[in-house]
Amino acid sequence: MTLRSTLDFLLHDWLRIGELSARPRFAEHSRETFDAVLDTCERIAREKYAPFNRLVDTDEPRFDGEKVVLPAATKAAWDAYAASGMLSAAQDYDIGGMQLPYTVEAAAGAFFGKASVSIGGGLLTVGNANLLMAHGTPLQQQVFAHNEFNGRFSGTMCLSEPQAGSSLSDVATRATPDGDDYETDPLGPRYRLRGNKMWISAGEHELTENIVHLVLAKIPGPDGTLVPGTRGISLFIVPKWLVGTDGQLTGERNDVTLAGLNHKLGWRGTTNTLLNFGEGRFTPGGRGGAIGYRVGAPGEGLRCMFHMMNEARIGIGMAATALGLAGYEASLEYARNRPQGRPMGAGGKDPAQPQVRIVEHADVKRMLLAQKSICEGALALMLYCARLVDEQHTGTPEAADDARLLLEVLTPVAKSWPSEFCLEANSLAIQVHGGYGYTRDFPVEQYWRDNRLNMIHEGTHGIQATDLLGRKVRMEGGRGLSLLAGRMNHTIEQALHRAPLAEHANALADALQQVGAATKAAWATGEPTDALANAVPYMQAFGHLVLGWTWLDLMLSVGDAADAASEGRRRAARYFFHYELPRIAAWLRPVAQRDRTCADMPEEAF
């Protein structure tokens, strides 16, 4: 089965996205327009991305003293992607968009992630522009966001600093009003920023005319001190090149300087940078300090930035999924063509018999089936989350609110579960290749390296787990968790009426009960230090519960179809319920017991 056939099944047979065409926003769309988008993206990914995946891994970004140098293939890929219109796919027609459902946009993005995740498909640029469309002024939208959507500009998100990675309350970048007239600038209240930002993806390059940095910084109080914590954080647009109100470059360079390139394990085709803001190398307006235009009210920066961060988290989950699928496809092809070993008969192995292909060995089938179960399940989850985004934006008020709350609960899982378990799938892809798997003669070692970054990208595993158990399952009195459990129970009830699915349905019901009980037990004392000491195993169990539900729901759409693809999905679901879902009990045991083995470990005992 190809990625395209899998997407067609998920989009049309399972999610029934054709029904979206009945909504006014998507009224001009049909199966034909959706297919045309997928056809275009599949072709661009095949022609402009996949052939250069190894090139961008080995020919890393470098600084020649004046600019960052990337392979020409990266520029060609960016130009093709921008020309396709996918940067503005979800936007209104009147600003050049397609008003495409996000579900279709996300599905199309899978082609690029699978072909070459580190060349990229504008994830941060689209997220940057979407944030401005939600929180920026009309002129900020016109000058910056619209030019990101058309591909002239690209975008970043600048949060972390060398001394403040995930702990954003400790950011030290300062933003001071730029002159007495700072509030009257048509592009927004104007400030001068000074500070450093670390791990900034796509922070410096020559792919676009301009780079729009969205920067978190603190505005000093009257006494010059910074407000402690996250309350003092504001958000600023800091362009690499200054622009006029017409969106054209003024020719004046802003005081944003590349301080260094980070050389990474994976995703090497995307620059990763340390940026200095306001070091004085460039002097816009005749003096140092990076010019930035405030977005939203002072102190509201983190709230605005979460708009982009949540999009990026779902995007990282899709990237991890696509890499898992790439490894699965490569290892399946290898297993079908690699002769090795002979079957074991009653009298042992017969050396006179020809070797069999390794795909015929039970243990290789196990590794392939594990990859299929994990990666196709993850793909379904990511598209389900994308479908919730469409529901949030175009559904009835009640349905939109339910979608919002479900996304709150599912976003930590959507980001983290594929990042962990599709990485595990990539490890199995290497194992299927044997010794060849860890050589550069085959692509699977690169897929693993690229994917290993995703457990850190956009909030580490531990942060996502703390967010899930500490906040998301308890928010609004636990309504989001109850809503998710209700949807799971609806699927369970339907599956119980189908004899082939009854065993899976009962297993999922038991797992749901275990997760619910462990959630209550974790918070029994009301002490966050007790509850959150085992947040990661809780998230692992929670994620497996969600994936079990996803597979059971998929089986309702597969039905009794006898084709090979349907049989493959049934076998993958069976694998998940027999081999993966039982892991939940072990993960939840320390959670329910509020086990402090790790939390109480004395530092000196290490």
Side-chain angles (χ1 to χ4, degrees):
M1 277 62 73
T2 64
L3 173 58
R4 178 58 183 274
S5 64
T6 301
L7 289 173
D8 284 342
F9 166 76
L10 294 174
L11 292 173
H12 300 290
D13 297 294
W14 183 48
L15 294 174
R16 298 188 295 277
I17 60 161
E19 296 174 2
L20 290 175
S21 298
R23 300 183 180 183
R25 181 165 185 80
F26 308 127
E28 299 300 315
H29 286 290
S30 63
R31 174 73 183 257
E32 288 70 29
T33 62
F34 295 155
D35 284 350
V37 168
L38 295 178
D39 288 343
T40 297
C41 291
E42 186 176 19
R43 176 185 56 77
I44 294 172
R46 182 178 62 248
E47 295 175 357
K48 300 294 186 180
Y49 283 67
F52 308 104
N53 191 43
R54 178 61 81 182
L55 171 66
V56 298
D57 182 63
T58 55
D59 189 3
E60 291 187 61
R62 66 184 188 278
F63 184 60
D64 68 0
E66 294 183 3
K67 63 183 183 298
V68 171
V69 179
L70 294 167
T74 304
K75 172 65 171 171
W78 171 268
D79 288 347
Y81 188 85
S84 74
M86 289 305 295
L87 289 167
S88 60
Q91 300 305 309
D92 294 347
Y93 292 129
D94 60 8
I95 64 168
M98 304 181 198
Q99 294 186 195
L100 189 71
Y102 180 61
T103 313
V104 180
E105 180 184 353
F111 291 117
F112 299 103
K114 180 172 172 286
S116 181
V117 74
S118 72
I119 289 179
L123 169 67
L124 292 177
T125 296
V126 173
N128 179 306
N130 284 342
L131 182 153
L132 293 176
M133 295 300 291
H135 301 288
T137 66
L139 192 58
Q140 287 173 343
Q141 294 170 6
Q142 180 181 328
V143 171
F144 297 108
H146 292 187
N147 280 310
E148 291 180 274
F149 287 136
N150 65 30
R152 282 186 61 215
F153 299 172
S154 58
T156 73
M157 54 191 294
C158 299
L159 288 76
S160 297
E161 297 179 4
Q163 83 294 339
S166 301
S167 181
L168 295 178
S169 62
D170 296 312
V171 299
T173 299
R174 304 167 69 94
T176 55
D178 185 31
D180 294 336
D181 63 344
Y182 79 100
E183 290 188 293
T184 64
D185 195 298
L187 292 177
R190 189 181 65 251
Y191 292 74
R192 293 277 178 162
L193 277 71
R194 291 174 173 84
N196 318 100
K197 293 294 179 177
M198 186 62 158
W199 314 118
I200 309 307
S201 294
E204 179 59 36
H205 55 74
E206 302 294 322
L207 298 175
T208 54
E209 289 181 37
N210 207 357
I211 302 174
V212 180
H213 302 292
L214 285 178
V215 183
L216 291 182
K218 291 185 176 182
I219 302 171
D223 62 355
T225 61
L226 300 179
V227 176
T230 59
R231 291 182 299 109
I233 296 176
S234 300
L235 180 64
F236 302 88
I237 300 168
V238 185
K240 174 182 174 180
W241 295 92
L242 296 183
V243 297
T245 55
D246 59 356
Q248 298 303 310
L249 305 188
T250 66
E252 188 170 22
R253 178 72 182 262
N254 205 356
D255 194 8
V256 184
T257 306
L258 176 69
L261 291 171
N262 297 309
H263 300 283
K264 302 173 292 178
L265 172 77
W267 282 60
R268 292 175 173 172
T270 301
T271 58
N272 189 277
T273 61
L274 169 61
L275 298 178
N276 290 346
F277 292 84
E279 74 168 28
R281 179 178 176 187
F282 301 100
T283 54
R287 59 193 183 92
I291 291 177
Y293 307 99
R294 199 184 70 227
V295 179
E300 293 289 311
L302 202 55
R303 183 184 67 83
C304 295
M305 185 61 89
F306 266 110
H307 186 107
M308 182 176 182
M309 290 167 67
N310 285 332
E311 283 192 30
R313 285 169 177 170
I314 293 174
I316 290 300
M318 180 60 88
T321 298
L323 285 164
L325 288 166
Y328 167 58
E329 182 179 288
S331 62
L332 177 59
E333 180 181 6
Y334 182 84
R336 283 173 166 167
N337 290 284
R338 170 67 168 169
Q340 190 82 182
R342 294 166 180 82
M344 182 73 73
K349 296 181 180 179
D350 182 0
Q353 294 297 314
Q355 294 191 89
V356 298
R357 297 167 303 139
I358 63 172
V359 74
E360 299 179 46
H361 296 308
D363 191 55
V364 173
K365 288 184 179 181
R366 175 189 64 83
M367 292 187 283
L368 292 170
L369 198 49
Q371 293 177 70
K372 180 180 178 69
S373 174
I374 289 167
C375 299
E376 292 186 8
L379 181 62
L381 172 62
M382 301 315 302
L383 293 181
Y384 179 78
C385 288
R387 180 65 182 78
L388 289 176
V389 172
D390 286 325
E391 197 65 29
Q392 186 179 6
H393 291 161
T394 64
T396 64
E398 181 180 359
D401 192 57
D402 284 352
R404 172 195 64 82
L405 201 50
L406 283 168
L407 277 169
E408 290 280 9
V409 176
L410 289 175
T411 294
V413 176
K415 186 273 174 186
S416 295
W417 196 92
S419 297
E420 178 175 1
F421 292 99
C422 290
L423 178 69
E424 195 172 295
N426 285 142
S427 181
L428 290 172
I430 293 173
Q431 192 70 23
V432 168
H433 281 74
Y436 291 106
Y438 51 72
T439 70
R440 292 198 172 191
D441 297 317
F442 290 83
V444 287
E445 60 85 26
Q446 183 184 344
Y447 297 145
W448 186 93
R449 287 188 290 105
D450 284 343
N451 218 349
R452 185 59 188 84
L453 277 63
N454 289 322
M455 287 177 68
I456 298 171
H457 276 153
E458 306 308 332
T460 64
H461 233 44
I463 287 172
Q464 302 297 331
T466 299
D467 184 43
L468 176 66
L469 180 56
R471 193 167 71 92
K472 296 300 179 61
V473 298
R474 305 175 75 214
M475 67 187 300
E476 299 184 25
R479 192 164 71 88
L481 181 59
S482 296
L483 185 60
L484 180 61
R487 298 212 172 184
M488 291 183 180
N489 280 321
H490 179 69
T491 298
I492 290 167
E493 290 168 8
Q494 288 182 289
L496 284 171
H497 294 294
R498 300 191 185 185
L501 300 180
E503 177 189 344
H504 297 340
N506 284 319
L508 185 64
D510 181 62
L512 176 58
Q513 187 278 327
Q514 290 183 60
V515 169
T519 306
K520 293 178 181 177
W523 284 102
T525 66
E527 289 292 334
T529 53
D530 288 342
L532 302 178
N534 297 289
V536 167
Y538 176 84
M539 184 172 66
Q540 291 168 319
F542 196 100
H544 264 54
L545 171 68
V546 170
L547 266 291
W549 166 56
T550 301
W551 270 115
L552 187 61
D553 206 66
L554 285 170
M555 289 305 96
L556 295 175
S557 295
V558 169
D560 299 323
D563 59 289
S566 298
E567 182 63 17
R569 294 183 184 110
R570 278 191 289 269
R571 298 277 181 162
R574 181 180 178 186
Y575 176 91
F576 195 88
F577 277 93
H578 287 189
Y579 288 76
E580 292 292 333
L581 199 65
R583 300 171 71 180
I584 284 178
W587 281 319
L588 290 178
R589 191 173 300 114
V591 177
Q593 294 173 352
R594 298 182 299 282
D595 191 311
R596 294 188 60 84
T597 299
C598 300
D600 290 342
M601 176 68 173
E603 180 182 341
E604 60 272 15
F606 283 107

